[in-house]
């Protein structure tokens, strides 16, 4: 199985700041990496797939980069609604696997 | 608007069975592969199973293979997960999702399954 190591597990930032979340795969997954946002009381939201392709409706302040084993989610100029939990997921092969999550909180 | 509404969860004893349902609307159900993803309390997300758009292909994680069966009724636009021989480690919130190219684009709100005596 492809192990996904996500860091940090917790991140505190202020609105307007930029943050980055890392996701590392235990072997190459090409560019097949997705990012999700999870908020209490709401359905999980696909933000990015194939490493850097924004899902329809994802604000342009979100960006994804990377290939092979190292990937990054960057959120520029944080908005209040961005404070949530973020997960990465490799979509290169079965079994599909997720990172352990990053909780982004308001500083 | 895509809507996925799960039902059928609850408390079940170890070794017993339970069947989850997911009613889909707002899209052409027969065009999409579908999947179940679960999240145990205080844990991360875990893919469980996927079924192709026409039901001809299914995929499972090893820990549920032989115990869980994913299926779909295209006429009813409903996805199912039959869970047999349940274990305590199956306790989780189960999410119904659409899936394209192995990622999950739309999610339901989830249904809780608790396996306990």
């Amino acid at each position: 199985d492809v192990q996904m190591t996500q860091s940090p597990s917790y991140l505190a930032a202020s609105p307007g700041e930029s943050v980055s979340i890392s996701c590392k795969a235990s072997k190459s997954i090409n560019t097949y990496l997705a990012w999700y946002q999870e908020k209490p009381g709401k359905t999980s939201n696909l933000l990015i797939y194939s490493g850097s392709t924004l899902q329809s409706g994802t604000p342009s302040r979100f960006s994804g980069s990377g290939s092979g084993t190292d990937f990054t989610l960057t959120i520029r100029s944080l908005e209040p609604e961005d404070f949530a939990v973020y997960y990465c997921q490799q979509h290169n092969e079965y079994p599909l696997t997720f990172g352990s999550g990053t909780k982004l909180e308001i500083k | 608007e895509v809507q996925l509404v799960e039902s059928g969860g609850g408390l079940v004893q170890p070794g017993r069975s339970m069947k989850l349902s997911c009613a889909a609307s707002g899209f052409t159900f027969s065009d999409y592969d579908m999947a179940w993803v679960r999240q145990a309390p205080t844990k991360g997300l875990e893919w469980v199973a996927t079924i192709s758009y026409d039901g001809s292909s299914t995929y499972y994680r090893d820990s549920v293979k032989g115990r869980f069966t994913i299926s779909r009724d295209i006429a009813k636009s409903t996805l199912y997960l039959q869970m047999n021989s349940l274990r305590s480690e199956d306790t989780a919130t189960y999410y119904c999702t659409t899936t394209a190219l192995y990622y999950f684009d739309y999610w339901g709100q989830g249904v809780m399954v608790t396996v306990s005596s």
Side-chain angles (χ1 to χ4, degrees), chain A residues 64-82:
Chain A
S65 62
S67 65
T69 61
D70 291 350
F71 299 85
T72 302
L73 172 69
T74 300
I75 313 171
R76 290 187 168 78
S77 191
L78 282 165
E79 297 284 344
E81 61 266 28
D82 299 336

Side-chain angles (χ1 to χ4, degrees), chain A residues 3-63:
Chain A
Q3 306 302 316
M4 305 302 295
T5 302
Q6 194 174 335
S7 63
S9 55
Y10 172 83
L11 186 54
S14 301
E17 290 184 353
S18 296
V19 297
S20 292
I21 298 169
S22 170
C23 189
K24 295 183 186 293
S26 59
K27 67 176 192 180
S28 176
I29 56 170
N30 300 297
T31 60
Y32 298 119
L33 195 282
W35 291 97
Y36 303 88
Q37 179 190 65
E38 182 184 88
K39 294 165 99 170
K42 293 199 166 186
T43 60
S44 292
N45 185 32
L46 171 69
L47 298 170
I48 289 167
Y49 59 92
S50 296
S52 61
T53 302
L54 265 60
Q55 171 72 341
S56 175
T58 300
S60 59
R61 63 181 179 274
F62 290 86
S63 64

Side-chain angles (χ1 to χ4, degrees), chain B residues 41-94:
Chain B
T42 71
K43 301 280 188 179
L45 296 165
E46 184 174 81
W47 167 75
V48 176
T50 295
I51 187 166
S52 61
Y53 67 98
D54 61 356
S56 63
S57 298
T58 56
Y59 309 87
Y60 299 93
R61 67 178 304 103
D62 283 350
S63 61
V64 308
K65 212 172 286 184
R67 299 189 299 124
F68 289 14
T69 302
I70 188 171
S71 62
R72 64 194 298 162
D73 185 329
I74 290 175
K76 294 183 178 179
S77 294
T78 301
L79 177 71
Y80 302 102
L81 186 66
Q82 175 68 46
M83 304 184 291
N84 299 331
S85 303
L86 281 161
R87 306 167 180 168
S88 57
E89 55 264 36
D90 296 319
T91 294
T93 297
Y94 285 73

